[in-house]
Amino acid sequence: MRPQIVLFGDSITQQSFGSAGWGAALADAYCRKADVLLRGYGGYNTRWALFLLHHIFPLDNSNPPVATTIFFGANDAALFGRTSERQHVPVEEYGDNLKIMRLSPTMLVVLITPPPVDEDGRMEYAKSLYGEKAMKLPERTNEMTGVYARQCIETAKDLGVPFIDLWSKMQETEGWQKKFLSDGLHLTEEGNAVVHKEVVEVFSVAGLSSEEMPYDFPHHSQIDAKNPEKTFQQQQCLARPL
Amino acid sequence: MRPQIVLFGDSITQQSFGSAGWGAALADAYCRKADVLLRGYGGYNTRWALFLLHHIFPLDNSNPPVATTIFFGANDAALFGRTSERQHVPVEEYGDNLKIMRLSPTMLVVLITPPPVDEDGRMEYAKSLYGEKAMKLPERTNEMTGVYARQCIETAKDLGVPFIDLWSKMQETEGWQKKFLSDGLHLTEEGNAVVHKEVVEVFSVAGLSSEEMPYDFPHHSQIDAKNPEKTFQQQQCLARPL
């Protein structure tokens, strides 16, 4: 069985196999070594995601994933009393829910904070969709999302698992608002590249570097063309099914 | 268990999660509905791929894939007596091998012919790598690859399974040589888009349209925010694991 890497999160995970997406880039980097399974649920907060937890990670799984990214918070941080308040989850509950999501100490769990929010970008996006009927106040603020990001980091430290402080990381770059975010919240191609780079780095530090993982089957240049049975027998592959 | 779609093939499959790749686009199209598993083996011909067959499709799998693309031939068609002759497989054996790969009548199998070959592109690519030491004659010709493409189509007809005649399809477009192929053999972003479109179409005709498949879990807008248990119980999800 090939190792599995699960990407569990909200729309920023769900969209990660789109154009230049960070999930697809990860699947490409781990091709012939691990399967990258997409478990992104647009609009979900951690409260709702908990209902899916044991479906995605069955307790009786004899072959659990080797690693999982847990990437929530963008919806939990939606402000109470604004247009997305139904998605709001109090910050303490957000931290508690993340703790529940770390199901097994043998599976590498990487917590990723929500990205920063470009409030102007959110307003522009709403206006492009709804015109004059658009919200007058942003439904998320960068400041409040930062509170959730810090909660995510604190939780990771409590659990002793690695984390990616995407909220801070992205804001280190001048013009992050448009460079990394397409609508003030979701990722541009360059934003996807940041997430990809960070995930690859954390996985490598944790001993899951793609370069160091074996190919599932021999590289074609290693196959004895005159006697391929020999190559595949050595690699414990089945004999040719004829 | 979520349905699985397997992409089985050579480098053109292996690279399909790269930039704007057809495999990643498929995973994106089927997100929250099916898992797209990458089983691409660069350099492999059908003779070598048979050794992997029962590893990738175990006979005792209680949850076999719903669909599989089988996309070989580009290496089988490498010319005998040229630089890639070790990959060459006679065309009759290529057809026989494809037949063996159709393991189950309940799994949708789609045979894809190799893409056309741009011989000039191959030569230019070799020269860019090896300079004056590059091969003087192309290791593949478009004509010979066409023979394999026809064999693939005949095999699909014999088996009664759908096929994609990529060899012919691509050559319908003026300038296919550079538009669809990056090195005379592998796909550009536009070439990837052709494969993606064709696969989506064949899957749809066969009743595997992404639009008609159900989401694995409720869309976030359908969740009762005041009483999420209700929504997830209706969807036969597990109660909250607290």
Side-chain angles (χ1 to χ4, degrees):
Chain A
M1 283 288 283
R2 200 189 275 220
Q4 292 182 336
I5 296 169
V6 173
L7 313 182
F8 188 34
D10 54 33
S11 57
I12 303 171
T13 296
Q14 183 176 329
Q15 296 171 7
S16 71
F17 278 63
S19 180
W22 65 274
L26 209 63
D28 188 46
Y30 283 85
C31 82
R32 299 184 59 176
K33 297 177 175 181
D35 285 325
V36 176
L37 297 184
L38 182 57
R39 294 293 180 271
Y41 296 88
Y44 273 57
N45 54 35
T46 54
R47 186 187 291 167
W48 301 339
L50 281 191
F51 288 98
L52 317 184
L53 195 63
H54 290 297
H55 292 271
I56 295 174
F57 304 98
L59 291 174
D60 59 353
N61 189 350
S62 59
N63 185 41
V66 291
T68 301
T69 56
I70 295 185
F71 191 176
F72 286 99
N75 296 317
D76 300 61
L79 297 178
F80 201 76
R82 301 268 173 98
T83 54
S84 294
E85 79 166 14
R86 65 190 294 279
Q87 293 168 296
H88 169 78
V89 170
V91 69
E92 298 77 17
E93 183 186 337
Y94 165 68
D96 291 343
N97 291 343
L98 290 179
K99 276 189 185 156
I100 295 170
M101 289 182 191
R102 194 233 187 176
L103 285 168
S104 155
T106 60
M107 174 170 73
L108 171 64
V109 168
V110 177
L111 297 189
I112 308 178
T113 76
V117 171
D118 170 31
E119 292 153 37
D120 291 343
R122 292 309 289 157
M123 301 292 283
E124 287 158 25
Y125 177 68
K127 210 164 176 184
S128 76
L129 285 183
Y130 307 111
E132 286 309 306
K133 290 181 185 164
M135 59 190 181
K136 303 297 173 218
L137 290 168
E139 86 295 6
R140 291 164 173 85
T141 63
N142 192 40
E143 188 187 350
M144 183 55 81
T145 298
V147 173
Y148 284 72
R150 281 189 291 281
Q151 181 75 44
C152 176
I153 295 164
E154 284 309 308
T155 305
K157 288 180 179 170
D158 285 352
L159 292 171
V161 303
F163 62 88
I164 297 169
D165 182 2
L166 195 61
W167 187 82
S168 299
K169 181 80 200 170
M170 285 190 159
Q171 292 183 78
E172 287 169 9
T173 297
E174 181 104 22
W176 59 269
Q177 294 89 338
K178 306 296 177 223
K179 191 180 181 73
F180 295 144
L181 304 172
S182 62
D183 59 2
L185 179 66
H186 296 95
L187 306 176
T188 60
E189 294 198 358
E190 282 173 297
N192 272 287
V194 173
V195 177
H196 175 64
K197 182 172 170 290
E198 294 292 318
V199 172
V200 164
E201 201 168 299
V202 169
F203 278 10
S204 295
V205 169
L208 269 185
S209 156
S210 165
E211 285 78 23
E212 290 170 27
M213 289 172 82
Y215 267 136
D216 55 352
F217 295 110
H219 188 270
H220 77 90
S221 64
Q222 296 170 341
I223 298 172
D224 181 342
K226 297 220 186 309
N227 192 3
E229 289 82 358
K230 210 173 133 188
T231 308
F232 288 99
Q233 276 163 8
Q234 283 170 351
Q235 297 274 341
Q236 299 189 300
C237 300
L238 291 176
R240 186 172 174 178
L242 281 179
Chain B
M1 282 288 283
R2 201 191 275 220
Q4 291 182 338
I5 297 170
V6 174
L7 312 182
F8 188 36
D10 53 31
S11 56
I12 303 171
T13 296
Q14 183 176 330
Q15 296 171 7
S16 71
F17 279 64
S19 180
W22 65 274
L26 210 62
D28 188 45
Y30 283 84
C31 82
R32 298 185 58 177
K33 297 177 175 182
D35 285 326
V36 177
L37 296 185
L38 182 57
R39 293 294 180 272
Y41 296 88
Y44 273 58
N45 54 34
T46 54
R47 187 186 289 166
W48 301 339
L50 281 190
F51 288 98
L52 317 184
L53 196 62
H54 290 296
H55 291 272
I56 294 173
F57 304 100
L59 291 174
D60 59 353
N61 189 349
S62 58
N63 185 42
V66 290
T68 301
T69 57
I70 295 186
F71 192 176
F72 286 100
N75 297 317
D76 300 61
L79 297 178
F80 201 77
R82 302 266 174 96
T83 53
S84 294
E85 78 166 15
R86 65 189 293 279
Q87 292 168 296
H88 169 77
V89 170
V91 69
E92 298 77 18
E93 183 185 336
Y94 166 67
D96 292 343
N97 291 343
L98 289 180
K99 276 191 186 153
I100 296 170
M101 289 182 188
R102 193 232 189 179
L103 285 169
S104 155
T106 60
M107 174 170 74
L108 171 66
V109 168
V110 178
L111 296 189
I112 307 178
T113 77
V117 171
D118 170 31
E119 292 153 37
D120 290 343
R122 293 308 289 158
M123 302 291 282
E124 287 159 22
Y125 177 69
K127 209 164 177 184
S128 76
L129 284 183
Y130 307 112
E132 286 309 306
K133 290 182 185 163
M135 58 191 182
K136 302 299 175 216
L137 290 168
E139 86 295 6
R140 290 165 174 86
T141 63
N142 193 39
E143 189 187 350
M144 183 54 82
T145 298
V147 173
Y148 283 72
R150 281 188 291 281
Q151 181 75 45
C152 176
I153 294 164
E154 284 309 309
T155 306
K157 287 179 178 168
D158 285 352
L159 293 172
V161 304
F163 62 88
I164 296 169
D165 182 1
L166 194 62
W167 188 81
S168 299
K169 181 79 201 171
M170 284 190 159
Q171 292 182 77
E172 288 169 9
T173 297
E174 181 104 23
W176 59 269
Q177 293 89 339
K178 306 297 177 220
K179 191 179 179 72
F180 295 144
L181 304 172
S182 62
D183 59 2
L185 180 67
H186 296 95
L187 306 176
T188 60
E189 294 199 356
E190 282 173 297
N192 271 288
V194 173
V195 177
H196 174 64
K197 183 173 169 292
E198 295 291 319
V199 173
V200 164
E201 201 168 298
V202 169
F203 277 11
S204 294
V205 169
L208 269 184
S209 156
S210 164
E211 285 78 24
E212 289 169 25
M213 289 173 80
Y215 267 138
D216 56 350
F217 295 110
H219 188 271
H220 77 87
S221 64
Q222 295 170 341
I223 298 171
D224 181 343
K226 296 217 187 313
N227 192 2
E229 289 82 357
K230 209 173 132 190
T231 307
F232 288 99
Q233 275 163 7
Q234 281 169 351
Q235 299 272 341
Q236 300 189 303
C237 300
L238 290 177
R240 185 171 174 178
L242 280 179

